Amino acid sequence: MDNEVIEFDIGLGGGGGRDGDDDFVDIEHPVDDEEMVDSPLMSSATGSASGIVVFGGGGSGEIYLPEGDLLDLEPYEGMEFESEEAAKAFYNSYARRVGFSTRVSSSRRSRRDGAIIQRQFVCAKEGFRNLNEKRTKDREIKRPRTITRVGCKASLSVKMQDSGKWVVSGFVKEHNHELVPPDQVHCLRSHRQISGPAKTLIDTLQAAGMGPRRIMSALIKEYGGISKVGFTEVDCRNYMRNNRQRSLDGDIQMLLDYLRQMQADNQNFFYAVQGDEDQSMGNVIWADPKARMNYSYFGDTVTFDTTYRSNRYRLPFAPFTGVNHHGQPVLFGCAFLINESEASFVWLFKTWLMAMSGRHPVSITTDHDAVIQSAIMQVFPQTRHRFCKWHIFKKCQEKLSHVFLKHPTFEADFHKCVNLTESIDEFESCWLSLVDRYDLRDHEWLQTVYSARRQWVPVYLRDTFFAEMSITQRSDSMNSYFDGYVNASTNLSQFFKLYEKALESRNEKEVKADFETMNTAPVLKTPSPMEKQASELYTKKIFMRFQEELVGTLTFTASKGDDDGEIITYQVAKFGEDHKAYYVKLNVLEMMATCSCQMFEFSGLLCRHVLAVFRVTNVLTLPSHYILKRWTRNAKSSVMLEERSSDVYTNYLESHTVRYNTLRHEAFKFVDGAKSSETYDIALDALKEAAKKVAHAPKNDGKTMVNGHVRGNLAGGASRIHYASGDHEGNSGQHLSEDDMDKKIRELTNELQCANRKCEVYRANLLSVLKDIEDHKLQLSIKVQNIKIGMKDGL
């Protein structure tokens, strides 16, 4: 067999390996042994008495295998190949049959022309890892790689002959380690390669929105087993990632052209690119003028939506959104995520903040991501950061799918523990009970989210404003701004049109909500002045939510508890449910109330518990500090109407309420102090004496009360003012009598009161005119938007 030649030139070219890495060899089309035997192409192979077998067609990429006993063919010294690549492919095919992986180890070049004249292929476990102290001593290795090299001596050496053929000059068969069984050989690096048909199938399924795990399941079913697929899920994931990157390379220029055109059309359009637009580009961010204006009105709470980063989507973009005065999602800008490092997110947030005039939000909501969390801590140190609870719930269904299937009650118990607990102690107790009941105390993912509970469990977040109307239900504002427009198959060329359609649709919905608020009178359900006041201030949707709370007070009772002279604590509970009480602390003089449910702090609307206390204390209208402008009809108005009540009647009610509550608060001190019969008699005599003085006192006593405060004191008591007539009185040197003096004071007092009433009327009229102007501006804006929409529909 010394002169036998094995032709194994299958034309692999340079596609088998990774650039710049000689540690391993990749085969273009690895095929399982059984498939090779059954291949109809075997008829093209030839076998003769001389032992010459042809293993290929010179570049066709088709693989042929010897028949019969030649299946067990082993390398031997003197074996010849048509090329170096043929020798490499043969040794790798032999390695696949035996159960080990190969790589290129060393080579020798010709001194004459620099061409390679000798090559050694070795077992991948040959040699030992080179621990370069210079590379590792100055840096910490976070994830050390597994030791794979154990000094195996198995190898194949080939030399090039003068004839141009390559001959085996050395072969070591023995290994110093266990070989891999046939059902695991596909996991070895040199035998993992995605074939052409597999690439086509992956491309198709990826375009349909499937992720790597589901695609691998489809491939395993298609090929009849994981060993016949020829690669792993990691390879599939990497291939899909490279696919996305190749697609992005062409899309980036399209994105930049679009943004440049938008800025050319409107100088207030903002966009920025991380790095050099023409060289290595990082993340991209943009915000149109309307988004920047919306942030000035509703930028107190922000959501950074990274839903589209997942493999399900082909667009790595993330919108910044908020909530407008109708409870609808509103856009604050968009980002295109090319680089997702911590430094890139820091740049992204800083740049977006600059576009928003440097105004930090009160709160921000993001996905549960450690990199994003670290960037937010650096850029928004004073902003309350929350992880999206609904994303965590969705992840829970994936991570605990076995628990959901085994225990149908787990989902309801988990929801109850997170959403329906009223205090931190109650949540902690409920959580421990939950993990013990379902044996999840050692579940790694569940422990991770529990350690981050202060950033997603509602009971820890109620003291911060997030503009949510309900803790237990997901509001419209938490849904993605682009839901219904961007889906799994959307690419960037389609995105621009869909992006603009989403903007138009959201704007149209806001205009419609403005129109309904301005032109439909809300149905009042109570005779309460507070309900009427709210119906005139809030937008339609927000008023309906407030109305729910106001009507809900009818089933609640408020019982007075502790009173320290300044703060009164009330216990508020549903009728017959005293065990489930809420506690409201009321400062009567300042009209400030706080509830243990913290609904106002969380949503910006008063809860039914505070409103129940207002009812029993005769607070007839909403104090101005409980009316957030961002929820009112005039949220986008520059006129601060809420600083002064636009209704004189409201002023009267507020002043009356304050006086009533102050007097009643002082009177209760007499009641609380009359513990004995002696103190009772003293208190009763004092009250009777006070009642006589009140009955004989003038109705106004020269004082003008506005919102419960004394504006002036022009007459009365020991502070009586004496006027001298002087020459201008026309009564040279003669003084007015005491009766004339009193008459004059009364006349001046009446004139002043009349002037004050006129001022109040003028002020009310002026504010009414300003309000009418704002309403008219809003109606004109609605008409303009309707005309624009009609023109676009016509085109």
Side-chain angles (χ1 to χ4, degrees):
M1 302 262 308
D2 291 345
N3 297 324
E4 293 175 358
V5 177
I6 295 183
E7 298 182 6
F8 201 96
D9 189 358
I10 59 174
L12 292 176
R18 296 187 181 181
D19 296 339
D21 192 345
D22 289 331
D23 287 342
F24 65 93
V25 179
D26 283 341
I27 302 303
E28 182 69 27
H29 299 294
V31 184
D32 196 272
D33 291 350
E34 295 179 6
E35 293 177 344
M36 293 179 181
V37 172
D38 297 335
S39 173
L41 298 174
M42 280 301 300
S43 60
S44 300
T46 60
S48 64
S50 62
I52 299 176
V53 181
V54 181
F55 267 69
S60 66
E62 299 170 340
I63 297 177
Y64 300 87
L65 281 180
E67 294 178 321
D69 295 338
L70 296 179
L71 278 172
D72 298 326
L73 188 65
E74 289 185 355
Y76 55 87
E77 291 188 22
M79 181 181 290
E80 292 187 354
F81 298 92
E82 288 296 316
S83 67
E84 176 202 344
E85 287 296 329
K88 181 169 62 175
F90 171 78
Y91 188 59
N92 199 63
S93 177
Y94 162 75
R96 182 182 179 91
R97 295 197 304 272
V98 174
F100 67 97
S101 182
T102 67
R103 58 183 172 83
V104 177
S105 175
S106 62
S107 61
R108 287 182 60 191
R109 294 183 179 271
S110 169
R111 295 179 180 177
R112 191 171 53 233
D113 57 8
I116 294 175
I117 58 173
Q118 184 174 337
R119 182 79 81 178
Q120 184 182 35
F121 309 112
V122 299
C123 171
K125 291 182 179 289
E126 180 267 347
F128 297 94
R129 178 175 297 174
N130 180 21
L131 297 176
N132 191 328
E133 293 184 3
K134 290 184 179 179
R135 288 194 306 172
T136 59
K137 70 176 183 179
D138 295 330
R139 62 187 178 90
E140 179 186 355
I141 300 175
K142 294 183 178 179
R143 291 189 299 173
R145 292 183 300 165
T146 305
I147 299 293
T148 58
R149 300 190 183 188
V150 294
C152 183
K153 300 295 184 181
S155 65
L156 179 76
S157 300
V158 293
K159 288 182 179 180
M160 189 173 71
Q161 304 293 305
D162 293 338
S163 63
K165 296 183 185 298
W166 289 72
V167 64
V168 175
S169 59
F171 171 59
V172 179
K173 178 181 178 180
E174 292 75 18
H175 296 261
N176 68 348
H177 56 88
E178 291 186 5
L179 298 175
V180 175
D183 62 339
Q184 297 176 18
V185 74
H186 66 280
C187 296
L188 296 173
R189 175 171 282 184
S190 70
H191 308 308
R192 284 159 43 188
Q193 188 67 25
I194 303 177
S195 66
K199 288 179 180 179
T200 302
L201 184 56
I202 292 173
D203 292 343
T204 303
L205 297 179
Q206 185 180 12
M210 291 177 63
R213 187 171 299 174
R214 293 178 62 194
I215 289 177
M216 280 302 295
S217 298
L219 286 166
I220 292 169
K221 187 175 182 181
E222 177 72 18
Y223 283 86
I226 182 66
S227 62
K228 296 182 180 180
V229 173
F231 54 91
T232 65
E233 184 179 326
V234 173
D235 301 315
C236 179
R237 190 181 301 275
N238 291 339
Y239 174 77
M240 292 173 65
R241 184 191 62 220
N242 293 336
N243 257 359
R244 293 180 70 188
Q245 190 59 49
R246 283 192 296 271
S247 175
L248 282 178
D249 291 341
D251 290 342
I252 293 302
Q253 191 58 47
M254 191 186 309
L255 172 65
L256 293 178
D257 291 343
Y258 175 82
L259 297 178
R260 290 190 190 106
Q261 184 59 48
M262 294 297 288
Q263 192 177 62
D265 294 341
N266 191 324
Q267 291 301 308
N268 290 322
F269 185 93
F270 175 92
Y271 86 95
V273 181
Q274 184 182 15
D276 191 338
E277 290 187 28
D278 301 320
Q279 302 296 327
S280 176
M281 197 182 79
N283 293 329
V284 182
I285 185 170
W286 71 92
D288 61 30
K290 185 175 177 62
R292 301 173 75 183
M293 186 62 70
N294 281 333
Y295 185 79
S296 68
Y297 300 133
F298 310 113
D300 39 20
T301 185
V302 175
T303 296
F304 181 57
D305 185 0
T306 52
T307 303
Y308 303 99
R309 286 195 305 166
S310 64
N311 284 316
R312 180 174 172 235
Y313 296 92
R314 301 173 69 184
L315 285 171
F317 89 101
F320 291 88
T321 60
V323 187
N324 70 7
H325 52 323
H326 299 291
Q328 300 168 334
V330 61
L331 192 65
F332 297 148
C334 281
F336 207 77
L337 304 176
I338 310 300
N339 186 327
E340 298 185 21
S341 67
E342 181 180 318
S344 290
F345 276 116
V346 168
W347 173 88
L348 182 71
F349 293 141
K350 284 184 176 179
T351 308
W352 175 78
L353 191 61
M354 179 177 67
M356 302 298 122
S357 303
R359 176 187 162 196
H360 290 243
V362 173
S363 61
I364 187 167
T365 303
T366 71
D367 198 1
H368 185 199
D369 186 290
V371 176
I372 294 177
Q373 180 183 13
S374 180
I376 285 178
M377 288 174 65
Q378 296 177 54
V379 182
F380 305 107
Q382 303 303 319
T383 298
R384 188 72 178 272
H385 181 202
R386 176 180 69 166
F387 298 137
C388 180
K389 176 179 62 177
W390 305 105
H391 287 170
I392 291 177
F393 276 6
K394 188 176 180 181
K395 201 75 174 176
C396 180
Q397 293 174 347
E398 298 176 14
K399 298 290 186 178
L400 300 173
S401 57
H402 61 290
V403 182
F404 279 76
L405 289 173
K406 187 177 179 180
H407 303 286
T409 59
F410 173 76
E411 184 174 10
D413 288 344
F414 186 75
H415 168 83
K416 180 181 178 182
C417 176
V418 172
N419 286 326
L420 302 183
T421 46
E422 296 290 343
S423 67
I424 292 174
D425 289 341
E426 184 183 354
F427 166 77
E428 295 289 350
S429 173
C430 188
W431 182 273
L432 289 176
S433 174
L434 181 79
V435 295
D436 285 342
R437 187 183 314 137
Y438 295 101
D439 195 22
L440 295 170
R441 189 179 281 268
D442 297 325
H443 193 278
E444 184 177 353
W445 179 83
L446 206 59
Q447 286 300 315
T448 301
V449 296
Y450 173 74
S451 64
R453 61 194 180 280
R454 287 175 176 80
Q455 288 184 267
W456 67 276
V457 177
V459 74
Y460 290 98
L461 298 161
R462 290 175 183 167
D463 61 345
T464 304
F465 182 73
F466 284 97
E468 286 186 33
M469 297 296 105
S470 172
I471 289 175
T472 57
Q473 296 180 354
R474 187 177 186 182
S475 64
D476 292 341
S477 62
M478 291 304 293
N479 294 324
S480 173
Y481 186 90
F482 293 95
D483 276 359
Y485 296 93
V486 176
N487 55 43
S489 62
T490 304
N491 56 40
L492 192 62
S493 59
Q494 300 167 325
F495 170 73
F496 297 128
K497 291 182 180 178
L498 296 172
Y499 167 81
E500 292 178 351
K501 279 188 176 180
L503 294 184
E504 288 181 11
S505 175
R506 294 294 185 185
N507 188 50
E508 185 178 351
K509 287 179 179 178
E510 182 177 337
V511 169
K512 183 179 179 182
D514 283 337
F515 179 82
E516 289 179 352
T517 295
M518 299 300 298
N519 293 279
T520 56
V523 178
L524 303 183
K525 298 181 179 180
T526 72
S528 167
M530 187 180 290
E531 185 183 18
K532 185 176 187 301
Q533 174 198 19
S535 71
E536 295 172 350
L537 291 173
Y538 289 134
T539 59
K540 182 179 179 181
K541 182 174 180 179
I542 302 305
F543 167 69
M544 290 175 67
R545 182 67 187 86
F546 173 81
Q547 191 179 50
E548 286 180 25
E549 295 299 312
L550 187 65
V551 174
T553 64
L554 300 177
T555 61
F556 279 78
T557 59
S559 305
K560 185 181 176 183
D562 296 336
D563 182 356
D564 62 6
E566 183 178 352
I567 305 294
I568 305 176
T569 301
Y570 288 87
Q571 182 176 318
V572 183
K574 242 181 182 180
F575 182 76
E577 297 182 7
D578 292 342
H579 61 284
K580 199 175 180 182
Y582 298 86
Y583 295 92
V584 176
K585 293 184 177 181
L586 175 67
N587 185 319
V588 177
L589 300 179
E590 296 181 7
M591 280 294 115
M592 297 290 291
T594 57
C595 180
S596 58
C597 79
Q598 295 181 306
M599 177 175 163
F600 180 78
E601 290 82 356
F602 188 74
S603 68
L605 287 179
L606 281 176
C607 62
R608 58 192 63 191
H609 318 119
V610 169
L611 295 176
V613 171
F614 280 177
R615 188 187 74 236
V616 299
T617 54
N618 286 323
V619 177
L620 302 178
T621 59
L622 281 172
S624 58
H625 47 267
Y626 286 118
I627 303 170
L628 297 191
K629 185 182 179 184
R630 60 122 49 242
W631 291 135
T632 68
R633 301 173 177 220
N634 300 308
K636 294 185 175 184
S637 167
S638 58
V639 179
M640 303 292 287
L641 291 181
E642 74 274 16
E643 287 185 359
R644 292 181 173 222
S645 177
S646 59
D647 189 353
V648 177
Y649 179 60
T650 301
N651 283 341
Y652 165 75
L653 289 175
E654 287 184 355
S655 62
H656 175 77
T657 301
V658 171
R659 292 199 302 270
Y660 177 88
N661 283 319
T662 301
L663 287 173
R664 193 173 69 156
H665 182 68
E666 293 297 322
F668 271 123
K669 292 180 180 179
F670 280 83
V671 178
D672 294 338
K675 302 295 185 181
S676 64
S677 58
E678 291 80 3
T679 54
Y680 166 77
D681 292 336
I682 294 171
L684 186 61
D685 290 341
L687 286 174
K688 287 179 179 179
E689 183 63 28
K692 291 178 182 178
K693 290 182 178 179
V694 170
H696 290 89
K699 293 297 181 183
N700 289 302
D701 198 29
K703 299 182 180 69
T704 302
M705 295 287 293
V706 178
N707 287 337
H709 301 289
V710 179
R711 281 290 180 88
N713 190 340
L714 301 179
S719 299
R720 188 181 301 273
I721 301 174
H722 298 273
Y723 287 86
S725 61
D727 293 338
H728 63 278
E729 292 283 339
N731 193 351
S732 60
Q734 292 185 8
H735 294 283
L736 293 173
S737 65
E738 189 171 341
D739 291 339
D740 290 338
M741 184 73 74
D742 289 339
K743 183 179 179 183
K744 190 68 175 179
I745 289 173
R746 284 195 296 271
E747 289 175 358
L748 292 173
T749 300
N750 290 334
E751 289 179 13
L752 183 59
Q753 290 175 351
C754 182
N756 283 332
R757 285 195 295 271
K758 287 181 180 180
C759 285
E760 289 293 332
V761 173
Y762 291 152
R763 185 165 66 84
N765 289 339
L766 179 59
L767 291 172
S768 177
V769 170
L770 289 173
K771 187 174 181 300
D772 289 341
I773 291 172
E774 290 297 325
D775 292 346
H776 187 59
K777 281 170 60 179
L778 185 58
Q779 289 173 356
L780 288 176
S781 174
I782 293 171
K783 289 180 181 179
V784 169
Q785 292 296 331
N786 287 335
I787 292 171
K788 286 182 178 179
I789 294 169
M791 291 174 67
K792 288 182 180 179
D793 292 341
L795 292 174

